[in-house]
Amino acid sequence: MGRITGSYPDDLDLLIEGAVEAGVFGGKSDALREFVREYFEDHENERIAAAVALYERERITLGDAARLAAIDRWTMRDILREHGVELRLGLVDEEDAAYEAETATELEFDDEPADNETSDSQ
């Protein structure tokens, strides 16, 4: 879990303290976590922008970027391309490899040969 240190206006601090005292939140940290979580739930573009920035700086994998952006990998890949971000190829770790293997098993292939692939001998 990450740790953030920052400052904010006194009025906001008082409101947070009041909410904690009223039992709305268990503590200031709980309140701030909830505010940030709700912000990113309500602001899809900002959530995606954050994922793109982290991927571009090689801090996360494509799978992580998709998870943070709350979209599938294929959509995330397209978004990265639209933003001019170069995709990194290859598997990063075992978790990434397992995800790719699972995805591959879900693909459907047509085992029926095409008409032009069959040969009729006459």
Side-chain angles (χ1 to χ4, degrees):
M1 184 177 301
R3 184 172 197 93
I4 298 174
T5 303
S7 59
Y8 39 87
D10 290 339
D11 284 351
L12 183 55
D13 188 49
L14 286 172
L15 284 171
I16 293 170
E17 281 182 27
V20 170
E21 289 177 18
V24 175
F25 300 106
K28 284 185 177 182
S29 292
D30 291 341
L32 295 174
R33 272 192 297 275
E34 181 66 15
F35 297 149
V36 172
R37 184 190 60 75
E38 284 186 18
Y39 175 83
F40 282 113
E41 282 181 0
D42 294 341
H43 296 86
E44 178 184 19
N45 290 337
E46 287 79 356
R47 189 175 61 238
I48 291 171
V52 168
L54 290 168
Y55 181 86
E56 186 173 28
R57 288 166 183 76
E58 299 184 8
R59 303 232 359 245
I60 59 174
T61 66
L62 176 62
D64 291 332
R67 180 179 51 79
L68 290 174
I71 56 178
D72 64 75
R73 283 179 178 230
W74 311 117
T75 303
M76 188 73 226
R77 182 198 62 200
D78 293 342
I79 289 170
L80 290 167
R81 286 181 177 153
E82 288 170 10
H83 284 83
V85 176
E86 185 176 330
L87 296 176
R88 297 187 303 273
L89 302 177
L91 304 174
V92 174
D93 56 26
E94 289 182 28
E95 183 180 330
D96 199 31
Y99 179 88
E100 293 297 331
E102 181 182 332
T103 300
T105 61
E106 294 172 1
L107 296 176
E108 294 182 19
F109 295 98
D110 186 6
D111 291 338
E112 301 280 327
D115 287 343
N116 60 357
E117 293 178 9
T118 59
S119 59
D120 290 68
S121 48
Q122 292 181 343

